Amino acid sequence: MAFNNINELDIEAKHEQDFRRTILVVDDEPVNLRLLGNILKDEYDIAYAETGDEALLEIKNQKDFLSLVLLDLHMPCGNGYMVLDEIKNNEELMNIPVIVLTADNSAEVESLRRGAIDFLNKPYNRPEVIRARVRRAIELSIDRNIIDATGKDKLTGLLTKDYFFQYAHEYDKFHPEQEVDAVVVNINKFHLINELYGRNYGDKVLCTIADGVRSFARGCGGVACRDNADCFYIYIEHQENYDYLTKILADRLIDITDKHDFHFRIGIYPDIYHSVNLEQRFDRALQASNSVSKNSNHDVVAIYDNNMHEKELYEAKLLNGIEKALLEKQFNVVFQPKYDITGDEPKLCSAEVLVRWKHPELGFVRPDVFIPLFEENGRIKELDRFVWQEAAKQIKRWKDMYGVTMPLSVNVSRVDIFDPDLLDFLKEILEENSLEPKDMHLEITETAYTDSVTTIVEVVNSLREAGFKVEMDDFGKGYSSLNMLTSLPIDALKLDMGFIKGVAENNKELSMVEFIVNVARFLEVPLIAEGVENSEQYLLLKKAGCDVIQGYYFSKPVNTSEFGHLIEKNAER
């Protein structure tokens, strides 16, 4: 084919011809115009102006095409300083680079102050130097424009995280003795702002916070960026307190939030001795911000301290130890019995599988410590699969021993739901133990349903179609709407234990339980209550119409053999 003979040099030459850049030469001396034009015309398209007014008109007309202005300072009808000021103060023109043409060395400082990027000294006796400096000025301008386009967050105008960290690294390099603070600002439950008031309003809140963060950072000689949706970083010289930052943010939010009650959290890591790397400093500042109560209006600032450091080390040991713990069987499962109370006498009907961890160095680790930690760091999948396997084996053992199938409920985390192998893995462990899907109930928290609803519904539908029973755990703890409940695929509602603790005759908690009972009836699913500890709670819940109960009133979580005795007693009864 004919174009096979075109070599790379031909392509490059054509590229240069198609994309020739335009330079404006401004000088009131025609001889200087011709001289510069002749030096540069082989590489660039040249436009000319002889006065300041002509130059501004030409610049405005060709602002989208100009790559450089060569500007003489001393001209009639508007001198070069006037042109520099106009370019610097005009947002549409400010990115056009200007090289000043002058024989007056004393004008250099003033020209730089007004926005010039370089100088060419008269007379022009070295064409190769002129071409080199012009080429370099254009290249630097292109680089700067790319940085402006990619280095700033489009919504807020703050730096992006990558450019922010690069700037901070450079600052540390040239200020090794400077005491610095890493600061993180978070908005509490920002996803609800978008859901309740719309994305446009959410963007307005973000821009307002960003404006306050930017103002504070500049006032302290620092720099700021936006990371993710609602997280902002500030890197500044060490501050004794952050009252001014909280005031700036609070004042700006008041201006736009009206009656809406929004809270922010501020975490600070003061790295006086540069003892850890930059990324770790902001990780620790984030940890400090997460320690602030999400419902506090007053104590919104937390400083990373030794206690947080100890907690960080403790959590790191837990995360690093999960593989060894599974291998050495440091985890074991226990069973919280569930009783059907719809008849005259309570009847053992199933159990929830709970996991316990006895760490060889740290001792007994509470589930409310390690389970949220594993969920947050994506390690919960390994633990969940261990629990499911143990549960399936135990259902099979009891079936063989007592001739009855005792269904067990296991927890399914959000990490599990997004695992494409979830259904296949569950089917595999059931098949290995000769069980049916109805023998293992799957508990998914209400808050999981409110995240990525479409995906959750698709996964849950596939599980139910395969024969699994799916329970919505902790109902009432999250933010699901009643309207959403009508479209969610569930086989049971499990009431959050927070309702149970305060339930009493004729109080609000009991009224709420009765309301949720009616919701369950409407959905035609049983209602399960957990955390029932005494006879008063039991009788009130039975009267209200609750179907299944678990808690210390009937039994604490028990081991395999103890639960076996409960199965025997239930059979005798």
Side-chain angles (χ1 to χ4, degrees):
M1 299 176 69
F3 57 78
N4 284 339
N5 294 324
I6 300 177
N7 59 34
E8 293 183 5
L9 291 177
D10 294 329
I11 295 174
E12 185 176 345
K14 185 177 188 307
H15 177 84
E16 291 296 327
Q17 183 178 2
D18 291 343
F19 295 95
R20 283 170 63 90
R21 301 187 178 278
T22 300
I23 294 175
L24 174 64
V25 181
V26 185
D27 199 313
D28 61 336
E29 293 288 342
V31 65
N32 287 334
L33 293 178
R34 288 195 299 271
L35 182 59
L36 287 172
N38 288 333
I39 292 172
L40 299 170
K41 67 180 181 180
D42 289 341
E43 294 184 42
Y44 306 97
D45 292 332
I46 310 298
Y48 300 96
E50 297 186 8
T51 69
D53 291 342
E54 287 181 13
L56 283 177
L57 182 62
E58 194 72 23
I59 291 169
K60 291 176 181 178
N61 288 339
Q62 298 200 56
K63 63 181 184 296
D64 296 327
F65 308 102
L66 276 180
S67 295
L68 180 69
V69 175
L70 298 177
L71 178 66
D72 186 27
L73 287 180
H74 305 293
M75 299 174 294
C77 301
N79 63 26
Y81 289 129
M82 180 270 290
V83 176
L84 283 171
D85 290 342
E86 180 66 24
I87 292 175
K88 181 179 180 180
N89 297 318
N90 188 315
E91 289 189 4
E92 293 184 337
L93 309 179
M94 61 191 306
N95 288 328
I96 300 173
V98 178
I99 294 179
V100 164
L101 311 172
T102 181
D104 181 6
N105 292 335
S106 64
E108 291 185 359
V109 173
E110 182 64 18
S111 298
L112 288 171
R113 190 180 67 81
R114 295 180 184 233
I117 65 169
D118 202 357
F119 302 90
L120 285 176
N121 293 317
K122 297 179 180 180
Y124 312 126
N125 53 8
R126 298 185 65 188
E128 68 278 7
V129 172
I130 294 173
R131 284 191 288 266
R133 298 182 82 160
V134 165
R135 191 178 300 115
R136 184 58 179 157
I138 293 174
E139 289 172 354
L140 290 173
S141 175
I142 294 170
D143 291 344
R144 184 185 67 185
N145 291 339
I146 291 173
I147 290 173
D148 287 342
T150 61
K152 289 187 178 179
D153 176 56
K154 292 181 180 179
L155 176 64
T156 65
L158 296 177
L159 292 179
T160 59
K161 185 178 177 181
D162 288 342
Y163 279 93
F164 171 85
F165 272 100
Q166 185 60 42
Y167 178 94
H169 279 300
E170 293 297 320
Y171 182 89
D172 283 351
K173 186 189 302 182
F174 293 103
H175 303 82
E177 304 302 322
Q178 177 65 55
E179 297 180 4
V180 288
D181 289 351
V183 183
V184 170
V185 178
N186 257 327
I187 306 172
N188 291 345
K189 300 176 183 176
F190 177 73
H191 66 284
L192 291 181
I193 297 176
N194 282 335
E195 290 181 19
L196 293 173
Y197 310 114
R199 185 167 294 278
N200 288 339
Y201 184 79
D203 288 347
K204 186 177 181 181
V205 171
L206 289 175
C207 290
T208 301
I209 291 287
D211 185 54
V213 165
R214 180 189 298 108
S215 175
F216 177 77
R218 287 178 176 174
C220 298
V223 65
C225 80
R226 177 188 175 207
D227 177 38
N228 298 322
D230 61 336
C231 190
F232 299 87
Y233 291 176
I234 307 172
Y235 195 58
I236 54 173
E237 295 180 6
H238 175 63
Q239 307 292 306
E240 290 302 321
N241 69 70
Y242 281 82
D243 295 343
Y244 184 53
L245 175 58
T246 60
K247 184 179 186 307
I248 288 177
L249 297 179
D251 289 348
R252 280 166 168 75
L253 281 175
I254 287 174
D255 290 340
I256 68 159
T257 54
D258 193 19
K259 298 178 181 179
H260 308 321
D261 190 18
F262 300 148
H263 307 296
F264 54 85
R265 294 168 289 154
I266 299 172
I268 299 151
Y269 179 73
D271 190 32
I272 298 174
Y273 305 109
H274 292 233
S275 56
V276 295
N277 66 45
L278 193 64
E279 287 74 11
Q280 286 178 299
R281 296 179 223 167
F282 280 95
D283 286 343
R284 292 180 176 184
L286 181 61
Q287 185 179 341
S289 76
N290 289 337
S291 73
V292 175
S293 170
K294 295 186 178 182
N295 299 312
S296 175
N297 279 321
H298 306 291
D299 299 325
V300 298
V301 178
I303 299 176
Y304 187 90
D305 57 19
N306 287 335
N307 290 334
M308 292 183 190
H309 183 57
E310 292 299 322
K311 182 174 182 287
E312 184 180 21
L313 292 177
Y314 179 76
E315 292 179 347
K317 286 184 179 180
L318 296 181
L319 287 170
N320 292 334
I322 184 171
E323 287 93 350
K324 185 177 181 182
L326 290 168
L327 186 65
E328 297 180 353
K329 298 190 181 301
Q330 297 170 17
F331 294 108
N332 69 288
V333 294
V334 294
F335 308 91
Q336 174 81 70
K338 294 183 180 181
Y339 283 82
D340 184 336
I341 63 169
T342 57
D344 294 334
E345 293 291 331
K347 178 183 176 183
L348 180 68
C349 60
S350 63
E352 179 182 1
V353 185
L354 304 173
V355 63
R356 299 291 185 258
W357 187 3
K358 188 174 181 181
H359 196 283
E361 297 177 35
L362 305 174
F364 178 74
V365 184
R366 298 200 321 268
D368 62 335
V369 172
F370 70 82
I371 289 178
L373 178 65
F374 288 174
E375 287 178 336
E376 181 182 343
N377 289 273
R379 306 303 302 273
I380 194 67
K381 174 181 172 180
E382 297 145 279
L383 182 61
D384 283 344
R385 291 196 169 198
F386 165 78
V387 172
W388 302 342
Q389 288 173 319
E390 293 298 302
K393 292 175 185 176
Q394 196 53 56
I395 297 172
K396 176 68 164 57
R397 292 191 193 105
W398 287 328
K399 186 176 182 180
D400 293 340
M401 291 176 65
Y402 303 110
V404 296
T405 299
M406 184 59 61
L408 293 179
S409 299
V410 297
N411 287 288
V412 178
S413 71
R414 279 173 285 189
V415 174
D416 300 320
I417 290 170
F418 289 96
D419 182 355
D421 298 327
L422 171 63
L423 183 55
D424 290 338
F425 183 83
L426 289 169
K427 285 181 176 179
E428 181 181 335
I429 60 175
L430 292 180
E431 185 177 342
E432 289 173 356
N433 293 280
S434 304
L435 300 178
E436 299 180 34
K438 66 179 181 179
D439 300 335
M440 185 177 287
H441 299 177
L442 309 177
E443 293 191 6
I444 302 175
T445 63
E446 180 195 0
T447 51
Y449 276 92
T450 59
D451 294 337
S452 305
V453 176
T454 303
T455 302
I456 302 293
V457 169
E458 289 176 356
V459 173
V460 172
N461 274 330
S462 68
L463 293 169
R464 296 179 76 227
E465 288 170 3
F468 290 95
K469 300 294 183 182
V470 177
E471 302 172 2
M472 180 187 280
D473 194 14
D474 296 333
F475 179 70
K477 186 176 182 179
Y479 306 94
S480 60
S481 66
L482 292 178
N483 181 58
M484 190 171 73
L485 275 178
T486 61
S487 61
L488 293 178
I490 53 174
D491 297 292
L493 280 180
K494 192 170 185 181
L495 191 63
D496 179 60
M497 66 175 62
F499 290 108
I500 311 302
K501 288 181 179 178
V503 71
E505 192 73 52
N506 298 321
N507 73 351
K508 291 181 180 180
E509 285 80 359
L510 181 59
S511 297
M512 182 60 70
V513 170
E514 291 170 340
F515 171 74
I516 296 175
V517 167
N518 289 328
V519 171
R521 295 289 175 269
F522 172 76
L523 297 174
E524 299 180 339
V525 298
L527 182 66
I528 304 167
E530 61 179 332
V532 181
E533 297 183 350
N534 55 57
S535 59
E536 180 185 7
Q537 293 172 340
Y538 164 68
L539 292 172
L540 286 171
L541 291 168
K542 181 175 175 61
K543 182 180 178 181
C546 197
D547 300 290
V548 178
I549 276 179
Q550 69 181 78
Y552 274 54
Y553 173 69
F554 283 118
S555 173
K556 65 180 182 180
V558 295
N559 61 29
T560 301
S561 61
E562 290 172 317
F563 193 83
H565 294 319
L566 293 177
I567 294 176
E568 290 175 350
K569 286 183 181 180
N570 195 66
E572 292 172 1
R573 189 177 301 169

